Each structure stands twice: as C-alpha cells, then as structure tokens.
Amino acid sequence: MATIKVNGQQRDVSGIPADTPLLWVLRDHLGLTGTKYGCGVSECGACTVHIDGEAAQSCVTAISDIGDASVVTIEGLSENGDHPVQQAWKAHNVPQCGYCQVGQMMTCAAMLAANPNPNDDEINDGMWNICRCGTYNRIRDAVKTAAKEMR
Amino acid sequence: MSNSLQHTTLRQWIENARRETAIDPGPTSRVARRDFLKGIAAGSLVILTAKNGDTIAARADDLGTDDSLSPSLFVAIEPDGTVKILAHRSEMGTGIRTALPRVLADELGADWNKVVIVQAKGDRRLGDQNTDGSNSIRFFYKTMRVAGATARTMLEQAAASQWGVNATEVSTNNHTVYLNGVKKKLEFHQLVEDASKLRTPEPADLRFKSPNDFQYIGRKFPIADLDDILTGKAEFGIDARIDGQAFAVIARCPVVGGVVESYDAEAAKVIPGVIDTIELPRFQGAPLFQQLGGIAVIAESTWAAWKGRDALKIIWQEGPNADYDTDKFIATLKDTVKANGQVMRNQGDAVTAIADADRKVSATYSVPHLSHAPMETTCAVADVKTNEAGDVLSCYLKAATQNPQAVQQAVGPALGIPNDQVHCDVTLLGAGFGRKSKPDYCVEAARLSRILKRPVHVTWTREDDFRHDYFHTISAVHCEAGLDTHGKPTGWLMRAAYPTIASTFAPGADAPATWEAEMGLTDLPYDVPNVRVEVGKAKAHTRIGWLRAVCHIFQNFAVSSFADELAHAAKADPFKFLLNTLGDDRHLDIAALKLGNRGADPKEYPYDIGRLKNVLTRAANNSSWERHAQLPKGKGMGIACCRSFLGYTGHVVEVSVSQEGVVSVENVWCSIDSGTIVSLDRVHAQVEGATIMGISQAMYGEMPMKNGRAIHSNFDGFQVAKMIDAPKAIHVDIVKNDAAPGGVGETGIGSFAPALCNAIFAATGKRIRDLPIKNHDLSWS
C-alpha cells in the first residue's frame, strides 16, 4: 500500500509498517496533528476521524486496513472551519482546553449525518467521547444546534 | 516529620529544592533580555516593571541590554497601533491566556481586534508563572491594570500635549484618545512615537477605570484560541515539533524507586524505525520533578518507539515500595485516625464536650488515590546542543507545562547548567489539573536530547500517565461530634491521616502539613465552642502530588458529609442546620487559627462567614430546596458549602437512584462568590467542569495499588464521567461582588461530592463514607 486517501488527496505512506495505526501515520508521518492521541485503545474518542463517512478511532485502525477508503480528518472537515458542527461548537463556546474537541466534533458530524435529529438518549449514546474538562452539557447543546442547522 | 518541616509551605519546599540544586550562573552569564523584545517592532512603546517593582515605560529601541531593567508583565504598542500583550500563565482550559490580557486591554482602552497575545517563555523576572492553585487572576489582576493604565496615561498625555490641553480633558476608548466635548480624536498609532518619549507617570498620576466603564472585565467573551482549537490548528505539547526531532517513549519501573536489572536493547533495535535505546538513571533522593528513570526507546515515529518499548523484556529491581497495597493501607489509615494524633487546632475542650453531650455522632470517611488523567498526556520536545566534549551549549524546550519556571529549575540541574539558560516555550495544554506543573517529562526529554545529540520529543502513553502519575493522596478522616438537647453541636473533633505532598519533596515527610490540613479541616467554619483537629502519620509509597482542589477533595467531603449526618441526627433540615451552625455573619480569626490563608492578606481576603452563608442560601433558593422533604423514595436533594482557594461555593445536587441502585445526577445548582470576575463565561465553564470532575471523582475515582503498582492503566479501568453521566442541567449562579478576586478553577469542586452523597442518602437512606460511589450497593425496594 503506497498511498492512502486523506482529505481528498492521495498521500504517500510507502515504507511505513503496515500495522501502524492511522493515528500515528497522520500525526508523525503526514503532519496532520489535529487528530489527537488520548488512550490508544478506543476508549476515549480523541482520535476520531471519518473513514468513508463513518466515525472511526484512528488509534486502533491499522493503515493496512484502510485500502481505498477515504479518510477525513479535522483538517478536511470543512474548507474554512465553518462546518455546522464547528459553528455550533463556537456559538456555545464549548472548548475548555480543547484537546478532545476535534474528536468530539468528528463524532458529532458523523452521528448527525446518519441521524439528523437525535434525542437526548441518542446523544448520550452517540457522543461517548471523554472530555476531562467536563464540557458535556455544552456539547449536548451544541449537538442540538448543529442538528438544527444541518436539517 | 519534625514540626518545622510540617509548617513549611509547599512553595518553600520547592524553593528550597531549587536553591539546593541550582547551578551557579557565574559572573559571565547573561540572559538574553532581547527575548522579551523579539517580534516587537522598533519604535514601540513598551511597559515593564523594574526590579524594585516600579512600572517603567520605554521605547523598545532604547532598552538595549540594560540589566537594571528586569521586565515583568509587559505590553508593547507598536507604531502601527498593534498592541502586544504578554501572556505569562499557561492555557489549560481556564481561559487565562485570554482573561489576563483582556484585563490589560480594558484598562488600556484597546480595541481587542488590534491585540496580539504573545505567549511568554519561562522567566522568573515575570513573577510567578505556576498556573496552579487558582491563583492567576488573584496574583496579576492589579498588575495588569497598572500596566494598562500606565500605557493609557502616556498616550493621553501625548494627545493632550498635541492639543495643548490638560490630560484630564481627554479620555480613551476603542484604541482612540478623544478630546472631551469636542470632535477631536487621535488613534493609538498616531500617538506611539510621542508617548514613547515621555517619562513614566507616577503611580499617583494613574487614573483607573471605574468598574461601571469596564468593556471586557466581567463580560462574556470567547477565548482567543477558539478558532484554532475548532480547526485542529492549535498546538499542544504533543504536537510540538522541532526540525529533525526523534520520538521517544520510556519504560519506567512500575514501582516508584525501582531500577533496571536487565533488558534486551537489541530486541528493541530490530523494530523498524527504532534508532536507539538509552538508559535514564533513577532520581536521587526525593522524587521532586526528577525523571523516574528507566529505558527510553527512540524512534522515527511514536508508534515505532512504542513497539520498541514492548520488545525490551525488562527485569526490574523494584525496591522498598513493592509491597504497597492500598487495600491494606487504607485499613491502616483508618486505624491511625482512631488514636490521638498531633494537634493542629484546639479550641475549648472538644473531647469533654463530646463525652458530656446529649447525643454523640461519629463517622470515618475515606477517599482513594486518584489520577489526574488530563486528555493530553504529558509531552515535551527538547533540543539540547553540546560541544564535542559533551558540554551543554544551549537548551531549548517546548512543553505543555503549567510552570515553565519549574521546567527551568528541574532541567538546569539535570544538565548542569544555570536555570536561566534553559529556554522553555509553552504550548497549549490538553488540560493539566496539577499534573503538568510537575515537569519530570521535560527532564526526560532534555536528558535524551543531550545524549542523542538531536531534538527528542517524549510522549507519555496513556498507560504511562496512569501508572506513573504524581497521585492524589489516599486518606482517612474521622469525625466525632456531640449535640445538645436542641440538636446544636457542642464539640467537634476530626482526625486525618494521609501521605503528604511534602513527601515528594523531602524524604521523611510523613504527616499532613499545616497547609494541607487547612484545606477543609483546621479552617472549619462552623460556630462550635469546642473544636479539635489532629493529624496522624502516614508514609508515602508512591509519588504524591496535588490534583485540582487538592485536600478539599477529601477533607470537605468528610466535613460536609458529617455535617449532614449531624443534621439528620438532630432531626433538622440540612440546609437550616448548616445555616444555624455557621452562626452569625463574622470573619474567622485567621491569625488565632494560624491559617496561612493561601498567603493572602486577611484584610483583603477574610474568611467571611456571611459570604459562605450567602452562597449556601442562594443555592438552596435556586433549587427550591423546600421540595426536598416531599420527594419520593429514590429521589433526593443534598446540600453542602465550602470556602476553597479564597472563593465560596454552595451546592445543591438532585439525584434519582433506581431500585437497581443506578445513580443519575439530575440537576446541580452551584452558587459561587469569588469576588471580582474577569471572564464571566469561563467562570461558568469552570463551575460546569468542576461538576463533571466532581462526578468523576465521587462516582468512579479510584486508583488502587497492589505490589507497589497502579492497577489501572487506561480509561477502561480508571473510569471517568462521560456524557451519559452529565446532569440534565448545571445551574451556575455567580455572585456579583467587587471584592478582591479569589480562585475559581478549583473552587467548584469542594462542596460538590458531599452534596451528591448527601442527596444519595436522602434518596436511599444509604450513607456513602468511602468513595467512590460505584463500589456501593445502592439498590432499594
């Protein structure tokens, strides 16, 4: 596998061991540091990206498993940082330290693409990412705002 | 632990350690004071503070290398009108990188759109940079206002002289100086040159804005880094890059104090991408902020280093802490608090008062070790340059640190260079909670870079973060009280035992220090005639550190849970019981109680019972507290209050507990009075965050240790609150108060957990005395 498709571009990954998680390929080889490391075992969601439009934890996804799929990271979520989810996060001043918020937004964008009108239980289930600063209540509000905008 | 050691403050401990380890800079050492001016345009007006504390204004060009100037908080107004403000505290989620510059900008009359925030390096001439202890606004609110007022006064004087009027006839707003009553104005960029030639105004000549005229202070505003965070451009410590850097992960002994017996370097080196393995020595003496020691694997990517580490096959000599078992230890602590300890506060005769009381109540509470677990693990990149003989020529780090001066103080001795020659830039922090004010990870990066002769980025894996934390201590607090026939407490006794934070800084420190006991115990605010507080010995077997809210976590949990137990014993309404027991509005006698008051002047920061009663009452009113008596079984409301970090909180928590025993936090009301507020929305956010962290700590928080090892190594074992645990609503009520600014970041923690457990008692009749809640069967029928 010489290339993978990231944010619409074919990127050279030749020479990188096949078992390397996508997270470290993005961060250490491709210079895309917006995607964050949090746990390495798919427990926290900080590393969430989209693979063919679905939320995936890049820390447990080996590059050899990506094949022809299309990877989208925060750097490719929108042209100008104006995806409805990003705008909603801004309107609610969600971030405190901000570290987990990229993963939160990627989870939210994929969730809303599949379910444009989630109720509170679905938000609780869908937004499982950990935030240690404790921004959950604002995330809940921002998800609802983004959902409204996207409908 | 000798008496004198016990009364030494943490700050003094660390300062002493710094003095003992610091390398003499020698007569030829010069700090590049030009660092301050890098990126500041020629001709700028700069405001700084001299060594004697005077504020000084100057032209950037004229500063040269005059060492008599020792600039503290710093603002530059460039010839084009751009205002550059130095942020010298670390941004870890509180919004401080925006809030303090906003204070300066407000007093200056600057247009925020023309303000550029410059993140400061570590430099002790800037004053305290330890973004910790909820101190930032308290320490620097006035300094920022003086700097802003100084610059504005000079701009106004320059304008007044151009117009030939007295400076009292002009005013400033939105980057513009106006001539009052006339349509004349001059913008900042038109005044910089003239202003920079003026003498610094005398302090008496400075006019400060009235709070009514504040444009930024006390308002809602977004953080400066918001757009970068939302687009993934924000640079955290894990993202810091220096050209040519290698990536390191380190295998450290799972037991603190252990050393490497053997390992297989070759097995690591055959992993593709691995460059080398390097052995780091174990720390000497007390842990301080030294490296733990172990085997570092250096590679071309984090993942390769990680795999290399897995291959090392290390055998450890685990040392004297290998028997540490927290199940046994907590039992020992509970035994310790049964017996008399060292007296820390003694007023009247609590023992006799309790013995003679109509009704006696006693309870013992415990809280286990906790981890900080910031979402970003500890990370730093270091670039150490050496000559052929291996002497250090320069040292530069970029780190997610709460305290870049601590980085200097730890890395300097490790490399054998003066602290001031360690240059440390600060990235954004993916939270800190106290972990990132302990820069052992920076020492690791610097040592490795020196040996490898290449920049090295050290990433702690999540497993490292959990296994090798500076853990929140483990504690038992015993409470006894006597009630008279009216249900009024006549005597109150508390005994606490827990390993002290001081043990991390001085071998032999084995009992709680006065500044630890003061976070909830010796500052007991209740109006009880006979009070006694004792502490017992407890030896540390791991690195003990401070975690957001520190000893308030367990001491206020005990005190406010016990107060609720007393209310129920007295058959009183818990809110009214607290209010009555707090007594008359008054100030506690801080001097008589020998409280350190966090170093704050009691005149400016009294322990004000009236303010404590006010937040308690507001929380009760906001929650419609009177409902609590009518709630059905399985639903309950709990109440608590405390003063912590010079701020006051009252909490009401409403829970429902299912018959199966599942707890849901339905609503939280928190009233907070921390005096003057700078960033309204961030104070809200900090209280919201403290609630969620309180849920993590109370519901799930525990790091058991066996065979000297932390049992959990990731979030599957060390559980924290998730969205599903978040209350339906967190109702934050900020008291408007012009009093001196107190703390905020940690203040929202102390009264939450006891209010939650008091609510669970109200719902189920089951009293939680040993956290976390998840270990208790709360089912009912």
Side-chain angles (χ1 to χ4, degrees):
Chain A
M1 138 224 57
T3 65
I4 56 171
K5 192 175 176 189
V6 181
N7 298 331
Q9 291 181 322
Q10 292 295 332
R11 299 291 302 263
D12 181 9
V13 294
S14 52
I16 301 174
D19 66 345
T20 308
L22 175 62
L23 170 68
W24 301 110
V25 175
L26 293 170
R27 292 184 51 80
D28 295 352
H29 297 277
L30 302 182
L32 295 170
T33 53
T35 303
K36 298 303 187 222
Y37 165 70
C39 70
V41 293
S42 191
E43 280 286 332
C44 80
C47 67
T48 303
V49 297
H50 296 169
I51 299 180
D52 280 346
E54 294 205 13
Q57 280 62 62
S58 62
C59 74
V60 291
T61 307
I63 41 164
S64 56
D65 291 340
I66 292 169
D68 297 334
S70 175
V71 176
V72 173
T73 69
I74 188 68
E75 290 90 348
L77 182 65
S78 63
E79 282 269 310
N80 303 308
D82 54 359
H83 186 284
V85 169
Q86 289 168 305
Q87 289 182 329
W89 251 244
K90 187 171 180 168
H92 290 275
N93 286 301
V94 171
Q96 289 188 27
C97 84
Y99 189 80
C100 75
Q101 298 299 345
V102 162
Q104 302 275 4
M105 290 186 293
M106 296 305 281
T107 301
C108 177
M111 178 181 76
L112 294 181
N115 176 9
N117 193 16
N119 62 31
D120 279 3
D121 286 343
E122 288 166 334
I123 293 174
N124 282 345
D125 282 349
M127 297 300 298
W128 59 276
N129 303 41
I130 294 174
C131 169
R132 284 288 282 158
C133 295
T135 61
Y136 297 127
N137 288 70
R138 292 199 192 210
I139 289 175
R140 200 183 279 154
D141 293 343
V143 170
K144 290 175 183 173
T145 299
K148 210 185 274 175
E149 286 301 312
M150 286 170 73
R151 281 202 293 274
Chain B
M1 187 173 181
S2 77
N3 248 340
S4 63
L5 286 184
Q6 213 169 355
H7 299 298
T8 306
T9 67
L10 181 61
R11 222 164 259 276
Q12 287 164 335
W13 278 118
I14 296 172
E15 185 61 21
N16 290 343
R18 186 186 73 75
R19 265 196 230 108
E20 282 163 19
T21 55
I23 310 294
D24 182 358
T28 57
S29 171
R30 282 277 181 279
V31 176
R33 53 175 287 85
R34 280 272 163 198
D35 267 2
F36 273 106
L37 300 169
K38 246 182 222 163
I40 301 295
S44 297
L45 166 65
V46 295
I47 308 292
L48 12 91
T49 307
K51 276 180 182 158
N52 63 5
D54 286 348
T55 304
I56 292 171
R59 267 172 81 86
D61 330 51
D62 300 336
L63 282 168
T65 53
D66 179 358
D67 274 348
S68 67
L69 288 173
S70 180
S72 180
L73 290 166
F74 169 94
V75 54
I77 307 173
E78 297 192 323
D80 70 353
T82 301
V83 171
K84 288 188 173 165
I85 303 177
L86 203 69
H88 73 304
R89 312 287 286 185
S90 297
E91 183 56 81
M92 54 183 169
T94 65
I96 198 62
R97 207 174 101 82
T98 309
L100 278 174
R102 280 259 177 179
V103 173
L104 196 156
D106 198 339
E107 194 61 67
L108 173 59
D111 173 356
W112 186 251
N113 293 317
K114 294 173 184 163
V115 172
V116 174
I117 298 172
V118 180
Q119 186 67 36
K121 286 184 193 307
D123 190 327
R124 61 199 170 98
R125 295 174 303 180
L126 292 167
D128 186 289
Q129 283 184 277
N130 187 12
T131 314
D132 207 327
S134 302
N135 289 327
S136 294
I137 301 284
R138 170 163 79 96
F139 283 177
F140 292 99
Y141 180 74
K142 278 185 197 157
T143 319
M144 284 296 188
R145 289 191 66 190
V146 168
T150 303
R152 173 173 44 73
T153 301
M154 295 178 74
L155 294 164
E156 288 176 347
Q157 284 171 351
S161 72
Q162 281 197 29
W163 291 323
V165 301
N166 192 303
T168 54
E169 292 176 48
V170 307
S171 57
T172 303
N173 189 24
N174 208 25
H175 245 71
T176 310
V177 180
Y178 295 88
L179 180 56
N180 295 340
V182 189
K183 280 189 180 167
K184 271 191 173 175
K185 62 177 184 180
L186 286 164
E187 294 183 25
F188 281 7
H189 69 90
Q190 296 170 293
L191 295 166
V192 170
E193 188 175 355
D194 284 2
S196 68
K197 292 172 189 158
L198 295 173
R199 286 180 56 142
T200 312
E202 294 298 321
D205 293 337
L206 295 180
R207 284 179 298 153
F208 291 93
K209 272 187 166 181
S210 148
N212 295 331
D213 297 330
F214 286 157
Q215 280 192 301
Y216 304 136
I217 297 169
R219 302 289 177 92
K220 177 177 173 174
F221 48 80
I223 53 172
D225 301 298
L226 186 57
D227 286 343
D228 283 348
I229 286 170
L230 297 180
T231 52
K233 290 180 190 139
E235 187 188 51
F236 294 89
I238 200 170
D239 307 324
R241 297 285 182 264
I242 296 177
D243 281 349
Q245 77 182 35
F247 296 85
V249 297
I250 300 168
R252 304 168 188 85
C253 183
V255 181
V256 169
V259 293
V260 177
E261 186 172 293
S262 66
Y263 68 106
D264 186 347
E266 293 315 310
K269 286 180 191 168
V270 297
I271 305 286
V274 171
I275 300 165
D276 207 350
T277 61
I278 294 173
E279 187 164 349
L280 286 172
R282 186 189 61 186
F283 58 88
Q284 296 291 309
L288 305 172
F289 302 142
Q290 301 175 79
Q291 76 288 344
L292 277 169
I295 307 297
V297 178
I298 326 285
E300 298 295 348
S301 79
T302 313
W303 179 248
W306 198 324
K307 282 179 60 184
R309 184 175 74 170
D310 288 346
L312 282 170
K313 298 193 280 276
I314 303 182
I315 295 171
W316 303 100
Q317 285 177 12
E318 296 178 350
N321 291 318
D323 292 337
Y324 186 42
D325 178 324
T326 47
D327 280 348
K328 290 181 189 153
F329 194 78
I330 199 81
T332 310
L333 292 178
K334 286 183 173 180
D335 281 343
T336 303
V337 297
K338 281 181 194 157
N340 289 342
Q342 185 195 339
V343 179
M344 292 288 225
R345 172 174 166 182
N346 193 20
Q347 168 194 329
D349 183 350
V351 175
T352 305
I354 294 166
D356 294 346
D358 187 60
R359 177 107 204 246
K360 272 176 261 184
V361 182
S362 74
T364 302
Y365 304 86
S366 72
V367 178
H369 282 305
L370 300 169
S371 298
H372 296 80
M375 281 316 297
E376 178 200 36
T377 55
T378 42
C379 295
V381 58
D383 185 9
V384 178
K385 299 220 187 309
T386 55
N387 63 16
E388 279 176 12
D391 303 323
V392 175
L393 299 175
S394 68
C395 173
Y396 173 72
L397 296 104
K398 242 177 168 182
T401 175
Q402 288 175 239
N403 189 358
Q405 290 177 35
V407 174
Q408 296 179 293
Q409 292 161 10
V411 170
L415 297 184
I417 59 173
N419 297 344
D420 289 349
Q421 289 177 17
V422 176
H423 296 270
C424 181
D425 267 324
V426 181
T427 64
L428 293 181
L429 282 64
F433 311 129
R435 174 61 184 92
K436 291 176 186 167
S437 50
K438 308 170 183 81
D440 54 340
Y441 53 103
C442 299
V443 175
E444 292 172 340
R447 282 178 177 269
L448 293 175
S449 175
R450 178 189 198 169
I451 294 167
L452 202 70
K453 299 184 187 300
R454 185 177 164 180
V456 175
H457 189 288
V458 169
T459 297
W460 281 47
T461 67
R462 179 58 63 192
E463 288 78 8
D464 298 339
D465 178 58
F466 277 119
R467 288 177 182 146
H468 308 294
D469 200 357
Y470 287 82
F471 294 99
H472 171 76
T473 195
I474 179 170
S475 59
V477 179
H478 175 73
C479 302
E480 287 178 28
L483 300 171
D484 67 15
T485 50
H486 306 290
K488 202 171 155 35
T490 52
W492 189 313
L493 167 85
M494 291 186 283
R495 291 196 204 102
Y498 48 90
T500 172
I501 290 167
S503 62
T504 297
F505 299 93
D510 63 356
T514 51
W515 51 269
E516 291 177 303
E518 185 178 331
M519 296 187 209
L521 296 185
T522 47
D523 63 344
L524 185 80
Y526 298 108
D527 186 14
V528 178
N530 304 288
V531 177
R532 189 177 176 92
V533 177
E534 301 172 6
V535 296
K537 284 187 183 281
K539 221 176 148 202
H541 297 282
T542 186
R543 299 191 298 180
I544 304 295
W546 53 95
L547 163 69
R548 186 181 188 182
V550 201
C551 303
H552 289 287
I553 294 169
F554 54 95
Q555 291 178 163
N556 284 104
F557 167 65
V559 166
S560 294
S561 295
F562 189 61
D564 197 67
E565 297 208 39
L566 292 179
H568 286 280
K571 297 190 169 32
D573 175 311
F575 163 54
K576 286 178 188 148
F577 180 85
L578 289 181
L579 210 54
N580 289 337
T581 311
L582 283 168
D584 295 334
D585 289 1
R586 67 193 189 284
H587 292 176
L588 288 194
D589 191 337
I590 284 172
L593 294 172
K594 296 187 188 139
L595 301 178
N597 206 37
R598 300 196 59 73
D601 182 351
K603 282 193 220 93
E604 211 179 4
Y605 292 93
Y607 197 129
D608 187 334
I609 300 296
R611 287 171 75 183
L612 188 55
K613 285 162 66 183
N614 183 47
V615 290
L616 179 71
T617 305
R618 286 172 70 133
N621 289 343
N622 292 341
S623 70
S624 304
W625 170 258
E626 64 283 355
R627 294 184 295 126
H628 81 281
Q630 279 84 49
L631 294 175
K633 185 155 191 194
K635 291 192 180 292
M637 291 166 80
I639 189 164
C641 64
C642 85
R643 176 187 188 257
S644 67
F645 301 89
L646 307 173
Y648 302 80
T649 52
H651 264 107
V652 173
V653 176
E654 181 175 15
V655 298
S656 68
V657 184
S658 72
Q659 283 189 280
E660 296 74 36
V662 179
V663 178
S664 302
V665 181
E666 302 276 341
N667 279 289
V668 175
W669 291 268
C670 178
S671 292
I672 180 168
D673 178 358
S674 284
T676 300
I677 292 299
V678 173
S679 178
L680 186 63
D681 183 60
R682 291 300 88 187
V683 175
H684 267 268
Q686 283 301 298
V687 176
E688 292 161 17
T691 302
I692 301 297
M693 182 157 275
I695 291 174
S696 286
Q697 290 177 352
M699 296 283 286
Y700 305 116
E702 67 171 336
M703 179 55 88
M705 299 183 91
K706 279 232 175 343
N707 301 320
R709 294 159 160 76
I711 294 294
H712 301 310
S713 59
N714 216 312
F715 289 114
D716 49 351
F718 189 91
Q719 284 175 265
V720 298
K722 292 192 170 191
M723 174 74 84
I724 198 159
D725 302 297
K728 282 186 188 139
I730 304 167
H731 309 269
V732 180
D733 165 38
I734 299 171
V735 176
K736 275 203 167 187
N737 189 336
D738 289 339
V744 170
E746 293 165 275
T747 302
I749 299 270
S751 51
F752 173 78
L756 170 60
C757 291
N758 295 343
I760 290 172
F761 179 78
T764 65
K766 293 186 179 182
R767 177 64 65 183
I768 308 277
R769 297 198 182 102
D770 302 288
L771 290 181
I773 296 164
K774 75 174 167 85
N775 293 346
H776 297 264
D777 175 6
L778 295 174
S779 61
W780 55 275
S781 52

